[in-house]
Amino acid sequence: MSNIAAAANEPVFTVAVAGQPNTGKSTLFNTLTGSSQHVGNWPGKTVEKKSGIFETDHAVYNVVDLPGTYSLSANSQEELIAREFIVEQRPDLIVVVVDASQLERSFYMAAEVMAMRVPVLIALNMMDVAEAQGKRIDVGHMEAALGVRVVPMTASRQEGVADLIEAIEAGSTRGDAMETGTWGIDGALRDTFGEVKGQVADHLPDGYHPDWVVLKLLEHDAKLGGVMEKAMGADRWGAVRDRMATGMSGLTAVAEARYDWVLKRLHGCVTTLEANDGRPGRGRFDRFATHPVWGALFSVGVILVGFFLAACIGFSCVGLLQPVTTASIGAVEAAFAGALPVLCDMITQGVIPGVFMVFCMSSFVFGILVLIGFLEDIGYLPRMAYVADILMNRIGLHGKSFMPLFMGFGCNIAAVMGTRVIDSSRQRFLTIFLSSLIPCPGVMVTCAFIVTIFFGHVASLVVVAMGGALLLQLLLTSLLVGRTVLPGTSTGMVMELPPYHRPNAKTIWSYAWLHYKGYLKKGGTLIAAIILMVWALSYFPTGNMNDSYLAAMGKALEPLGQLMGMDWKLLTCLCVAFFSKEAALAAMGVIYGLHASDGSLMSVVMESIAQGQLASHTQLADFLAVSISRPSALAFVFAILFSIPCYSTVGVIYFETKSMKWTVGTVAYYSLLSFVWGVLAYRVGLLLF
């Protein structure tokens, strides 16, 4: 199997990978596609789209990873995307990934897909977990009962992958749809089902199977109801609606019928033996991990250790890249030798610092992505949400809000988009509003850099103060917004705790690398562009920064900045954070200089890091005494910690809420919050330093 583009004479087949969350769907997708993956968004949606290719001796396969969903209803963007792709794009084959250790639950999704009468192949994943639980699955019996091909496998170990590829090839070469068995319903729904099917059968849009359509109509699927009303006309649709109203209908009845079908087909397929994997030990650990006190402390410890390791990666990269950056600047200056001073300054003060800052900050981002990928892959993230439920309830939320907020440590955009897992509209809007308080990697690396430089031996105390202020503001904001703008009570949390899995290095690497590449492509390009813009504004029209366009703009806002102890230079760096949090630090490198030969801020910092004596470097202390005072630095880190979300996050907030009022309110609130905390921090800094 190789991951190369298709030749002109090779047939190309589309394979969709579907399944519920936590069934190993992503692991299987990564195994099939390897390095050929592409990550983007579905057209017109903020939901992530992953696709890739793999090749056999006979054909090339375009693999599309559908969003993980528990069903094909229209309750979320993910569910709607998955079913519209199946209906409208008509893939050659749908591989439904099923968790062998939880057959009844995970086969619910498979039953929905099979009802659509499309070519289906069941990937019976996690066979190792099922065997460890003492379960023996008769695959032949299952295939006969379902009428589809079933391939047992353990994707994390790449066991059964070759068999799956052979089955995909066999299934995709059929000229007709793979037999999916008879999907029917029993009991009180049968009469209603038959009559409604007869009414809609002649009015179905292309690609819609009547059995699946009727089931969705009985579930009161509003999206599909609108499609059928348009296709049938108001009068005919009114008759269908009246018939459904007089019979037994509703989501619960259809779900019960579907589960009953699953149980009947799986009857006799599974034999349970004595478990042999030491599950009591796992049970004891899970009781510890989900304990309201010890579990919460353990979760905090996991996060702190993960962030510490990510910071170690980031600052190690700073030390490694600094000599390269210094040498590059020296080489460029030598090459120009006084000629073309504008171009030389642009490269040495704009381009090279931009590249340096992008890679230094992105190394920290990569560490955070690895942490999130690891916790998600082993199944621990839902436990963190469970133990966080008590704390979340105290601020008007529930545990489901924890995972989107936690994703904010990777990117605030991911936090906002992640709120779609929250059922309550009130709690979803509140979580979106609070997500801007979660420091993204750009905020964390900027604050860590400034705190380490300016506060030396007391840096840990400053960090603790920032953490305490953040928790306090999270509580105050939740209470303020929850009781004024979004009054109401929090609802209970119902969520799945999936089984633990062995970490799969390939899956974790793929998750981190793909998102890291996206960060470099989008965030890195933006940061570099901002740095060049800041340099240009600071250079023109005279070549003297104090007489530049940037100085003119900064000095116009300086009266506001003086309340926070910031001159126009530092205030400009704070304003740049709106475009990108990381760009604030990058702008500081441009405004305060990155030359290796003139004793500027960045060169001193780099030298201090390289010598391992950042806290006591005399040259650094002398420079800071005439550059940025400690109270001003304290005001800067608090102001950026609570600052307005970056413009990309603001755009996603509007996209998710569809409310300009809510978006503008978010921007206004955090702008005011940043100013207030900046003023308070400066006043406290004057007393302490």
Side-chain angles (χ1 to χ4, degrees):
M1 180 174 63
S2 61
N3 297 312
I4 58 177
N9 60 345
E10 289 181 307
V12 179
F13 296 97
T14 299
V15 178
V17 181
Q20 294 183 351
N22 305 309
T23 56
K25 184 172 66 70
S26 296
T27 301
L28 176 59
F29 173 78
N30 294 332
T31 301
L32 290 174
T33 59
S35 60
S36 73
Q37 297 177 24
H38 302 281
V39 178
N41 286 339
W42 293 86
K45 309 290 184 181
T46 56
V47 179
E48 183 180 84
K49 176 184 180 181
K50 291 196 294 184
S51 62
I53 61 172
F54 74 89
E55 185 184 21
T56 67
D57 294 335
H58 306 290
V60 173
Y61 298 88
N62 176 38
V63 185
V64 179
D65 187 18
L66 298 180
T69 62
Y70 290 98
S71 69
L72 292 178
S73 301
N75 298 323
S76 67
Q77 281 194 23
E78 289 83 354
E79 292 176 339
L80 193 58
I81 286 171
R83 85 180 197 186
E84 286 184 348
F85 182 85
I86 294 172
V87 171
E88 297 175 5
Q89 301 300 318
R90 307 298 295 177
D92 297 284
L93 183 66
I94 301 174
V95 177
V96 182
V97 184
V98 173
D99 182 356
S101 66
Q102 302 184 69
L103 285 176
E104 292 83 0
R105 176 187 62 79
S106 57
F107 248 108
Y108 188 90
M109 175 67 173
E112 283 222 66
V113 176
M114 292 169 67
M116 302 177 77
R117 293 296 197 275
V118 291
V120 174
L121 173 63
I122 301 296
L124 194 60
N125 195 29
M126 300 187 186
M127 289 294 291
D128 58 333
V129 179
E131 291 174 1
Q133 294 175 349
K135 296 177 180 178
R136 298 295 180 265
I137 300 175
D138 187 338
V139 176
H141 188 174
M142 184 178 293
E143 286 184 336
L146 296 172
V148 299
R149 177 72 185 276
V150 179
V151 180
M153 63 185 306
T154 301
S156 61
R157 301 178 182 177
Q158 298 194 6
E159 297 175 358
V161 175
D163 294 335
L164 180 69
I165 292 173
E166 291 180 4
I168 290 174
E169 188 171 18
S172 64
T173 55
R174 290 172 178 255
D176 56 348
M178 184 179 294
E179 176 61 38
T180 57
T182 302
W183 208 108
I185 58 174
D186 300 315
L189 276 178
R190 180 178 298 174
D191 293 339
T192 303
F193 180 92
E195 290 189 30
V196 173
K197 181 177 178 179
Q199 290 174 299
V200 304
D202 296 331
H203 307 281
L204 295 172
D206 292 340
Y208 287 78
H209 193 279
D211 287 2
W212 179 76
V213 169
V214 175
L215 287 171
K216 285 300 167 188
L217 293 179
L218 292 174
E219 291 177 336
H220 301 297
D221 189 302
K223 180 73 174 181
L224 191 56
V227 172
M228 293 307 302
E229 182 176 9
K230 183 177 180 180
M232 299 179 68
D235 294 339
R236 292 191 183 94
W237 171 247
V240 172
R241 187 173 56 243
D242 293 341
R243 179 63 186 92
M244 290 191 298
T246 60
M248 180 181 178
S249 61
L251 179 62
T252 302
V254 175
E256 289 177 353
R258 188 173 289 121
Y259 270 120
D260 184 61
W261 182 88
V262 170
L263 293 175
K264 287 179 179 179
R265 297 307 182 274
L266 296 180
H267 180 70
C269 296
V270 183
T271 302
T272 304
L273 306 175
E274 183 179 355
N276 55 10
D277 69 327
R279 285 184 300 150
R282 294 187 180 185
R284 284 194 295 271
F285 175 77
D286 220 13
R287 286 193 293 272
F288 168 77
T290 56
H291 191 275
V293 177
W294 306 119
L297 293 176
F298 182 72
S299 296
V300 172
V302 168
I303 294 173
L304 292 178
V305 170
F307 286 172
F308 173 76
L309 294 177
C312 289
I313 294 174
F315 281 103
S316 296
C317 289
V318 172
L320 293 173
L321 292 173
Q322 187 273 332
V324 178
T325 304
T326 302
S328 299
I329 292 176
V332 171
E333 291 177 338
F336 280 89
L340 300 174
V342 176
L343 182 60
C344 181
D345 284 348
M346 183 184 72
I347 297 174
T348 58
Q349 299 181 33
V351 176
I352 295 178
V355 174
F356 173 77
M357 287 297 180
V358 167
F359 278 99
C360 285
M361 290 179 287
S362 65
S363 61
F364 183 80
V365 173
F366 183 77
I368 295 295
L369 292 173
V370 170
L371 170 66
I372 294 174
F374 173 78
L375 296 177
E376 183 177 12
D377 190 54
I378 65 175
Y380 182 64
L381 268 183
R383 271 81 179 175
M384 298 177 72
Y386 178 80
V387 299
D389 186 52
I390 297 176
L391 175 61
M392 294 289 103
N393 274 310
R394 293 186 180 277
I395 60 174
L397 300 172
H398 59 46
K400 281 190 177 181
S401 297
F402 173 81
M403 285 195 284
L405 293 178
F406 181 74
M407 294 296 289
F409 289 113
C411 179
N412 288 144
I413 294 175
V416 175
M417 293 191 298
T419 59
R420 289 192 296 267
V421 303
I422 302 173
D423 304 322
S424 167
S425 176
R426 173 187 178 274
Q427 295 192 41
R428 181 168 182 260
F429 270 64
L430 183 56
T431 305
I432 288 175
F433 194 84
L434 294 177
S435 65
S436 297
L437 281 172
I438 304 302
C440 68
V443 172
M444 287 189 285
V445 72
T446 301
C447 291
F449 205 79
I450 299 300
V451 168
T452 304
I453 292 171
F454 284 85
F455 300 102
H457 297 301
V458 298
S460 58
L461 297 178
V462 175
V463 171
V464 171
M466 293 171 66
L470 195 61
L471 291 175
L472 175 62
Q473 189 60 59
L474 187 68
L475 176 62
L476 293 176
T477 300
S478 178
L479 293 176
L480 175 64
V481 177
R483 293 183 179 180
T484 57
V485 183
L486 294 171
T489 58
S490 62
T491 59
M493 179 185 68
V494 178
M495 68 178 302
E496 173 195 4
L497 293 181
Y500 289 107
H501 309 301
R502 292 185 180 90
N504 184 279
K506 186 174 182 180
T507 300
I508 297 170
W509 170 261
S510 177
Y511 173 89
W513 178 245
L514 287 173
H515 286 81
Y516 179 68
K517 286 196 301 183
Y519 171 83
L520 286 180
K521 182 179 179 180
K522 297 179 181 179
T525 303
L526 175 64
I527 294 170
I530 291 174
I531 290 173
L532 287 175
M533 181 186 69
V534 170
W535 171 83
L537 291 174
S538 66
Y539 186 88
F540 294 103
T542 64
N544 186 336
M545 182 181 294
N546 292 322
D547 299 325
S548 65
Y549 297 126
L550 187 68
M553 291 185 291
K555 289 176 181 178
L557 297 174
E558 195 167 29
L560 189 66
Q562 287 177 349
L563 296 174
M564 298 184 285
M566 300 184 194
D567 62 5
W568 71 266
K569 293 182 179 180
L570 199 56
L571 184 62
T572 300
C573 296
L574 180 62
C575 293
V576 167
F578 172 69
F579 299 97
S580 171
K581 302 303 182 184
E582 300 92 328
L585 188 58
M588 186 175 293
V590 174
I591 293 175
Y592 287 97
L594 190 60
H595 292 89
S597 58
D598 62 357
S600 64
L601 172 63
M602 298 306 296
S603 65
V604 173
V605 170
M606 294 301 101
E607 182 182 351
S608 300
I609 292 176
Q611 295 179 3
Q613 50 181 2
L614 186 60
S616 59
H617 198 284
T618 304
Q619 186 183 4
L620 177 62
D622 293 341
F623 180 84
L624 296 180
V626 296
S627 178
I628 303 173
S629 67
R630 282 188 170 183
S632 297
L634 188 68
F636 181 82
V637 293
F638 271 86
I640 201 168
L641 180 65
F642 295 102
S643 63
I644 176 178
C646 68
Y647 83 101
S648 298
T649 304
V650 171
V652 174
I653 289 174
Y654 175 73
F655 189 91
E656 291 291 326
T657 62
K658 300 294 189 297
S659 171
M660 182 59 69
K661 181 184 296 185
W662 191 262
T663 305
V664 172
T666 301
V667 171
Y669 178 81
Y670 285 103
S671 298
L672 178 62
L673 201 63
S674 175
F675 175 74
V676 170
W677 275 104
V679 172
L680 290 176
Y682 178 63
R683 298 303 171 187
V684 172
L686 290 176
L687 296 176
L688 297 179
F689 304 111

